Amino acid sequence: AQTVTQSQPEMSVQEAETVTLSCTYDTSENNYYLFWYKQPPSRQMILVIRQEAYKQQNATENRFSVNFQKAAKSFSLKISDSQLGDTAMYFCAFMKPSFTSGTYKYIFGTGTRLKVLA
Amino acid sequence: DAGITQSPRHKVTETGTPVTLRCHQTENHRYMYWYRQDPGHGLRLIHYSYGVKDTDKGEVSDGYSVSRSKTEDFLLTLESATSSQTSVYFCAISRTQETQYFGPGTRLLVL
């Protein structure tokens, strides 16, 4: 069974600094997707970034980028120029397409609570 | 934002009573999901649907049932609520292998 591990329950970073959140996963699959979601105090789950396993190039979305190491099964999120609005819980998620049912089930990590300090 | 609403947004109920949560989408997406979020567990899949009247169990389905009679609505029912079902419940939708988009969540307290 696939598992997703986020080993940092809490982190903090000074405003304008860079922070990296770690995520490791366990799978025997070759075709899958990885995601980072942000959950601010409003509790809304917001997609931050997505990575397809078959792509070697790391995904980037503005100040957010990932370091995807497929062999090491590692998927870390780097936030550059941290802003107060980045304060949130961040969840890493793994998704493997199921072609038998056509569904796409996610497995989430337990989250990292990030606090950006002024 | 994806057009997903959940109702009610907050609910307090008593042990043993039935509870139904509704997820409504305006995106015409095929796939819908119900998750629960608890401290230390992240989000865990309860049930999902891959079409009208097509549903299947997730990893924590005991005590829950679902129904989907039309594309836009996915109902989650707790037949007899227990205190262990106190949680925040999220609905999500996806088109095909697209990203899942989440609703605003429902906070349920079972006394």
Side-chain angles (χ1 to χ4, degrees):
Chain A
Q2 289 84 10
T3 59
V4 176
T5 302
Q6 294 180 250
S7 58
Q8 305 151 312
E10 294 186 357
M11 295 186 73
S12 61
V13 61
Q14 289 294 135
E15 197 175 7
E17 297 293 310
T18 296
V19 64
T20 299
L21 281 59
S22 66
C23 173
T24 59
Y25 57 95
D26 185 24
T27 184
S28 58
E29 301 293 332
N30 191 50
N31 178 33
Y32 52 88
Y33 298 78
L34 295 163
F35 303 83
W36 279 98
Y37 281 87
K38 167 185 176 181
Q39 187 180 43
S42 67
R43 290 192 177 271
Q44 178 71 50
M45 292 286 288
I46 302 166
L47 174 71
V48 175
I49 202 163
R50 148 185 162 146
Q51 175 81 44
E52 292 87 345
Y54 63 85
K55 289 186 177 179
Q56 293 185 342
Q57 187 173 6
N58 289 324
T60 298
E61 287 289 341
N62 301 314
R63 297 183 295 108
F64 299 88
S65 61
V66 299
N67 183 6
F68 174 47
Q69 301 289 331
K70 191 173 183 178
K73 298 179 183 176
S74 171
F75 183 60
S76 60
L77 175 69
K78 185 173 81 171
I79 305 174
S80 304
D81 185 25
S82 296
Q83 301 175 0
L84 296 178
D86 296 333
T87 292
M89 182 76 89
Y90 287 82
F91 291 97
C92 177
F94 169 97
M95 187 271 279
K96 180 187 80 69
S98 171
F99 296 104
T100 53
S101 66
T103 57
Y104 306 92
K105 293 189 282 188
Y106 281 31
I107 298 170
F108 285 86
T110 54
T112 295
R113 187 175 302 279
L114 176 68
K115 187 170 185 178
V116 180
L117 307 172
Chain B
D1 292 341
I4 313 170
T5 56
Q6 293 183 230
S7 58
R9 293 294 312 279
H10 302 88
K11 186 170 182 65
V12 180
T13 190
E14 294 186 348
T15 299
T17 60
V19 176
T20 295
L21 308 182
R22 179 183 183 233
C23 177
H24 178 77
Q25 60 147 328
T26 58
E27 306 295 321
N28 201 35
H29 283 1
R30 177 180 177 186
Y31 304 98
M32 299 185 76
Y33 309 80
W34 275 109
Y35 293 88
R36 61 177 290 173
Q37 183 179 23
D38 304 290
H41 290 280
L43 278 79
R44 293 180 292 174
L45 182 66
I46 305 172
H47 281 281
Y48 62 96
S49 170
Y50 46 97
V52 173
K53 299 186 178 178
D54 292 323
T55 65
D56 205 348
K57 296 179 180 179
E59 62 178 307
V60 290
S61 60
D62 288 348
Y64 301 95
S65 62
V66 290
S67 65
R68 191 170 179 198
S69 59
K70 45 187 178 178
T71 300
E72 57 266 35
D73 289 327
F74 192 32
L75 304 181
L76 176 71
T77 297
L78 291 66
E79 300 291 346
S80 178
T82 67
S83 58
S84 65
Q85 293 176 312
T86 291
S87 187
V88 180
Y89 291 86
F90 285 95
C91 174
I93 65 174
S94 65
R95 192 165 53 194
T96 55
Q97 61 187 27
E98 298 286 330
T99 303
Q100 289 189 11
Y101 295 96
F102 288 81
T106 293
R107 300 192 72 170
L108 176 65
L109 174 60
V110 183
L111 300 174

